[in-house]
Amino acid sequence: MNERLRRAMFRAGLDVEGLAQAVEVSTKSVERWLHSDMVPYPRTRYRVAAALGEDESYLWPASVDKASLTGAELVTTWPRRADVPRELWTDLLRGAERNVDYIAFAGLFLAEEIPDWIPMLRAKAEAGARVRMMFGDPDGRQLASRDAENEIGGGVGGRVAAVLSYYRPFTDLFDIRLHDTPLYASIYRFDDEMIVNIHVYGILAAYTPTMRIRRVDGAYFQTFLESYEKIWASARPLEANGNGG
């Protein structure tokens, strides 16, 4: 089963017959694309991708070489996280249907600077999306280390306390854990899209390089997702009440 094609058809509201009509092929051709490794001819791939609002390399990654896939994953970059357009965060969240994964030491800017963030996140969770969030453990060693590195006199711990006050009321909807890792990058995942904020020693995360990645079976997306899962496995659950966890 070409699961990417099937999901793209579902999101576009097209069944086998509807896609066949849209791209002027037989229903048998669409069935073969769904249930085998068959890849359409380039012209047909273009029409299918246009009809579904997806990239050809996403629907049929085998149709392009690995070097092209790697380049296709990297959508854009910014020299600072503060340069990421504010509306992009809500656009990506709005488009997510299955997974919203988030890890930072605090990431307080989302809750404080984007009024629609928490209401949208809550709506996504209520609609069935899995929402997982990880923040720095107030009782761990790494939070104090990051605070000393940035020379902000307890500011990191204060930001974690503040961000937890925003999300703690939603522990019945969001799966929240506390991590004690050096955290080389903050990761914000929205289904098959991801914003990665690279951490640089001695510089606050708002002022360090950030990139937007789209999963097309290259190396970028999977590397950061694997890192997220490893940290998730070692993090401890946040308790609904109490100091930190």
Side-chain angles (χ1 to χ4, degrees):
M1 171 68 74
N2 184 333
E3 188 63 24
R4 293 187 177 190
L5 178 59
R6 186 190 72 80
R7 291 185 183 220
M9 290 169 60
F10 177 78
R11 288 194 293 268
L14 293 174
D15 57 13
V16 170
E17 184 175 349
L19 181 59
Q21 292 177 353
V23 300
E24 301 177 353
V25 299
S26 68
T27 55
K28 287 185 178 180
S29 292
V30 177
E31 290 284 3
R32 284 195 292 269
W33 302 339
L34 281 168
H35 298 289
S36 74
D37 294 332
M38 179 181 176
V39 177
Y41 291 116
R43 184 175 179 180
T44 304
R45 288 202 306 268
Y46 175 82
R47 293 203 303 266
V48 173
L52 299 179
E54 293 286 357
D55 294 326
E56 295 175 50
S57 58
Y58 175 79
L59 297 172
W60 293 285
S63 65
V64 296
D65 61 51
K66 289 297 182 181
S68 296
L69 282 173
T70 299
E73 277 200 304
L74 192 57
V75 178
T76 190
T77 62
W78 300 271
R80 309 181 307 165
R81 191 197 69 207
D83 296 326
V84 179
R86 183 172 298 183
E87 63 272 15
L88 179 59
W89 296 99
T90 50
D91 286 347
L92 292 176
L93 179 57
R94 188 177 294 111
E97 297 178 351
R98 307 180 307 279
N99 298 289
V100 179
D101 295 329
Y102 160 8
I103 180 171
F105 275 114
L108 184 59
F109 71 99
L110 292 171
E112 284 196 337
E113 299 175 15
I114 303 178
D116 293 338
W117 177 259
I118 291 181
M120 287 181 62
L121 197 62
R122 179 178 183 177
K124 287 296 177 180
E126 290 174 339
R130 181 182 66 171
V131 177
R132 299 186 298 173
M133 316 177 81
M134 287 190 282
F135 305 102
D137 190 337
D139 296 328
R141 299 168 56 188
Q142 297 298 330
L143 207 62
S145 176
R146 185 58 57 98
D147 190 84
E149 170 191 324
N150 289 317
E151 300 178 346
I152 52 179
V156 177
R159 293 180 69 80
V160 171
V163 80
L164 290 178
S165 71
Y166 280 104
Y167 294 116
R168 195 185 294 276
F170 304 105
T171 51
D172 58 329
L173 286 172
F174 309 157
D175 198 347
I176 305 175
R177 296 187 182 184
L178 303 173
H179 71 89
D180 188 25
T181 65
L183 197 62
Y184 306 118
S186 295
I187 301 169
Y188 307 88
R189 177 201 179 187
F190 310 89
D191 286 351
D192 295 320
E193 299 261 4
M194 188 180 283
I195 292 182
V196 178
N197 183 194
I198 305 299
H199 293 181
V200 178
Y201 186 87
I203 301 177
L204 295 175
Y207 305 107
T208 57
T210 303
M211 54 187 174
R212 178 182 176 185
I213 300 168
R214 179 177 297 141
R215 192 204 321 241
V216 287
D217 280 355
Y220 285 108
F221 194 98
Q222 190 59 36
T223 296
F224 287 110
L225 182 58
E226 181 179 349
S227 175
Y228 186 96
E229 296 296 348
K230 287 182 177 181
I231 301 173
W232 181 260
S234 65
R236 66 185 181 97
L238 172 72
E239 296 177 2
N241 298 297
N243 182 19

